[in-house]
Amino acid sequence: MEHLHSRSITNEFTDTFPGDTSMDRTTRQTPGVLYCQVMPTPVAKPTLLAWSDAVAFNLGLDQPDELDVSILGGNAINPQMKPYASCYAGHQFGNWAGQLGDGRAISLGFCSGKDGVDYELQLKGAGPTPYSRNSDGRAVLRSSLREYLMSEAMHHLGVPTTRALSLVATGDPVLRDMFYNGHPEYEPGAVVLRVAPSFIRFGNFEILAERNYLSLSQQLCDWVIERYYPEITGEDRVVQLFRAIAEKTANMIVEWLRVGFVHGVMNTDNMSILGLTIDYGPYSFLDEYEERFTPNTTDLPGRRYAFGNQAAVAYWNLGKLANALAFLVHGTDKLVAVLKEYQDLYEQKYYTMMAKKLGFDQLRDEDRPLIDSFEEMLRAIKPDMTIFYQLLIELPENIGSAEDVNHFFEASFYTAPDTDHLYAVMLAYNNRIKANSCTREVSVNTMRAANPRFVLRNYILHEAISKLEKGDDGMLKKLEKYIQNPYSREADEYFAKRPDWARQKAGCSMLSCSS
């Protein structure tokens, strides 16, 4: 184990691609380069608030000393680090936004993990870059704690995600208009160090296509294949890469839906080429089952990024990635074919996942209509998603009358349900369970592995943030422990519906992109 300040760091990205090395933070267009070198901006008093022992262990990092905390807060660097901000573009809420780039993220280089993977280390909130677009490049404690905890929570839920190593308070106030209502307020600042094999997004390819940089785009494709998709060989390597990215994207979306996660800002610049959940902003887990729920105030009234739209948006985003790769391919038919494959692939993965959530021995052809009717029932009665599935695991073999079933699931209801609708679906479901070729124990274990008992609801995060802003880190430490075992009963103090007070409270139901 080594300290971060002396750990071996490599710089494959900056050593491979052209970049602007002027260290100029001035906001500007940066044609011809894939990144700009830029130093983090020092803060008043970096103070370690949280540290992921699991991430640190894999990276071979010892508990941070004073110099390490300075690096984590942006006040120092390891001599081997060449900090940079990446250049990319994107479609935001369906519209082309042009050059975007890392406006408050600064990558420090790569660190090898004990699992054989090289991990990119990236500070978020470490000050302005050439891509900050008139913002300060900072992040507030509110959003930073949310990113730190959710990155780790999603990992333990089994959802593909970036990770977080640390959360550091800066000692500097940051001015934010949380509600976009013209009344900004100062909030405490913070920096998160996040970790992933790569932070390359769909937008990294979009900017190269928009600028018609054929050779750079081909070079980036080759680099991505060599590092992250070495199984791709032979002809049509770009098409194979697109197919691999599409499959990983489908996996990610299915996992989001399994646990009831809503990303909130599925812009193409927030889509990972590794199928990782990236850029945690105004996200949420579902409380009541509502496919039209979006946690992002900016997403109203259209609800483009609502829970039930996420698979369709992923398909749309993949279409934009295909457009960005098209000038590397002779004819677009093969890319179009991959897009069509995605729809079938996603559907197969989705129904397979649902079969596990429901405890089926396997996915049979006749299960699809039952799954559809099950979801139709959920849309109608809108129970608490997490609690309903936990109760479903305990559903007795003899379900009794409609009133018995209603009483059994009562703890998950926010409003009185259509009892007859619920009962009809439960009768069909119970008959399917009885037709399983596996034992009841196997079915129950399958359901327990597919249905989390504890998720980081927004009201829980809101309470932890409020306490931490007052200097009380007790709840943060408790949540760090609970998120590691989301399928157990360890966090049952939070096994309850969202309280009434949190239904319309800012930060508990709806959030903005302000961070």
Side-chain angles (χ1 to χ4, degrees):
M1 304 294 279
E2 299 177 70
H3 283 288
L4 179 59
H5 62 75
S6 57
R7 184 74 169 85
S8 177
I9 301 294
T10 57
N11 302 280
E12 286 91 342
F13 189 79
T14 54
D15 289 347
T16 301
F17 297 102
D20 182 333
T21 60
S22 67
M23 292 291 185
D24 180 6
R25 295 190 181 96
T26 304
T27 298
R28 62 192 185 278
Q29 294 290 307
T30 60
V33 300
L34 271 67
Y35 66 89
C36 288
Q37 287 192 344
V38 59
M39 291 292 291
T41 303
V43 299
K45 186 181 179 181
T47 304
L48 186 68
L49 299 177
W51 173 262
S52 172
D53 289 329
V55 174
F57 178 79
N58 185 45
L59 295 177
L61 294 175
D62 207 343
Q63 287 291 318
D65 60 14
E66 185 175 349
L67 182 51
D68 290 338
V69 174
S70 291
I71 295 173
L72 299 172
N75 281 20
I77 61 169
N78 176 314
Q80 299 175 60
M81 294 175 175
K82 298 179 180 179
Y84 69 94
S86 182
C87 178
Y88 49 83
H91 285 80
Q92 299 190 327
F93 297 93
N95 300 306
W96 175 246
Q99 176 183 291
L100 297 168
D102 288 330
R104 58 196 175 114
I106 297 177
S107 291
L108 301 177
F110 290 85
C111 179
S112 60
K114 293 184 177 181
D115 58 0
V117 176
D118 285 346
Y119 288 95
E120 186 174 349
L121 309 182
Q122 186 178 82
L123 297 176
K124 185 173 181 179
T129 78
Y131 308 111
S132 293
R133 303 187 301 281
N134 300 317
S135 69
D136 56 17
R138 294 300 187 187
V140 297
L141 180 59
R142 162 175 50 87
S143 64
S144 300
L145 181 144
R146 285 173 54 84
E147 173 134 12
Y148 172 81
L149 279 179
M150 189 55 70
S151 300
E152 293 305 282
M154 292 285 270
H155 169 75
H156 292 292
L157 283 166
V159 180
T161 181
T162 58
R163 303 289 300 275
L165 174 66
S166 62
L167 172 66
V168 169
T170 64
D172 289 327
V174 177
L175 188 65
R176 288 291 181 269
D177 187 353
M178 179 177 177
F179 302 107
Y180 294 132
N181 61 2
H183 296 89
E185 296 181 0
Y186 281 102
E187 300 183 51
V191 177
V192 173
L193 192 148
R194 52 188 189 177
V195 177
S198 175
F199 288 93
I200 293 177
R201 305 124 187 282
F202 290 11
N204 288 86
F205 289 98
E206 287 185 285
I207 190 71
L208 297 176
E210 192 270 340
R211 291 174 171 170
N212 200 31
Y213 293 160
L214 179 65
S215 60
L216 276 178
S217 186
Q218 185 65 62
Q219 185 184 5
L220 182 59
C221 277
D222 292 340
W223 190 78
V224 167
I225 290 170
E226 180 182 349
R227 287 182 63 87
Y228 306 112
Y229 296 97
E231 69 277 9
I232 293 177
T233 58
E235 299 179 353
D236 295 324
R237 281 160 47 92
V238 173
V239 175
Q240 290 186 64
L241 173 63
F242 182 56
R243 179 178 288 109
I245 294 173
E247 180 169 1
K248 285 184 179 291
T249 300
N251 286 335
M252 178 188 72
I253 297 297
V254 167
E255 288 301 300
W256 286 3
L257 301 183
R258 177 178 67 84
V259 299
F261 178 77
V262 195
H263 184 278
V265 201
M266 287 181 65
N267 300 327
T268 58
D269 55 293
N270 293 337
M271 297 290 291
S272 161
I273 54 96
L274 300 181
L276 303 175
T277 314
I278 191 172
D279 288 340
Y280 290 95
Y283 64 78
S284 181
F285 284 104
L286 291 185
D287 292 313
E288 61 263 66
Y289 190 91
E290 173 55 80
E291 288 192 334
R292 296 191 70 249
F293 171 69
T294 178
N296 186 358
T297 56
T298 313
D299 197 26
L300 298 174
R303 299 177 184 270
R304 176 182 178 85
Y305 298 143
F307 176 72
N309 291 345
Q310 293 180 123
V313 171
Y315 173 78
W316 191 92
N317 288 346
L318 284 165
K320 296 307 175 186
L321 177 60
N323 289 342
L325 297 175
F327 72 150
L328 302 177
V329 179
H330 297 295
T332 59
D333 291 351
K334 292 180 180 179
L335 292 174
V336 172
V338 172
L339 274 177
K340 292 180 179 178
E341 291 171 12
Y342 166 84
Q343 293 178 301
D344 293 336
L345 178 68
Y346 164 77
E347 189 173 284
Q348 180 63 34
K349 289 178 179 294
Y350 178 76
Y351 279 106
T352 299
M353 175 275 290
M354 284 300 300
K356 293 178 180 179
K357 280 183 75 70
L358 296 174
F360 298 165
D361 56 342
Q362 60 181 312
L363 177 64
R364 306 175 183 178
D365 290 340
E366 62 268 26
D367 289 336
R368 295 194 178 204
L370 176 57
I371 291 171
D372 291 342
S373 66
F374 191 94
E375 292 195 312
E376 181 184 355
M377 177 269 295
L378 291 179
R379 289 193 295 270
I381 69 174
K382 294 181 171 56
D384 187 281
M385 179 178 174
T386 300
I387 295 176
F388 186 89
Y389 276 106
Q390 286 297 308
L391 294 174
L392 187 67
I393 296 172
E394 309 293 339
L395 187 70
E397 292 185 31
N398 180 12
I399 65 175
S401 66
E403 289 73 20
D404 292 332
V405 170
N406 187 76
H407 179 71
F408 181 81
F409 287 105
E410 188 174 12
S412 69
F413 300 147
Y414 287 94
T415 58
D418 180 340
T419 301
D420 292 338
H421 191 179
L422 172 63
Y423 186 60
V425 173
M426 285 301 109
L427 280 175
Y429 168 74
N430 201 39
N431 288 333
R432 172 60 182 87
I433 288 294
K434 290 177 179 178
N436 271 346
S437 59
C438 64
T439 64
R440 172 65 178 168
E441 181 182 7
V442 170
S443 175
V444 166
N445 288 340
T446 298
M447 295 176 76
R448 291 200 190 284
N451 295 295
R453 191 171 177 89
F454 172 68
V455 293
L456 274 176
R457 300 175 189 256
N458 274 341
Y459 85 87
I460 297 173
L461 287 163
H462 177 78
E463 290 185 326
I465 292 165
S466 297
K467 291 183 177 182
L468 190 59
E469 288 179 340
K470 297 173 183 176
D472 179 1
D473 67 352
M475 190 169 179
L476 167 61
K477 299 304 181 186
K478 181 168 63 175
L479 293 178
E480 283 187 288
K481 179 182 177 184
Y482 285 169
I483 60 177
Q484 296 180 43
N485 297 289
Y487 297 93
S488 75
R489 295 177 179 269
E490 184 177 5
D492 267 8
E493 66 175 287
Y494 294 114
F495 186 66
K497 292 180 293 185
R498 177 201 61 228
D500 289 340
W501 63 262
R503 189 169 187 272
Q504 297 295 335
K505 188 173 181 62
C508 297
S509 55
M510 299 289 290
L511 304 103
S512 73
C513 292
S514 172
S515 56

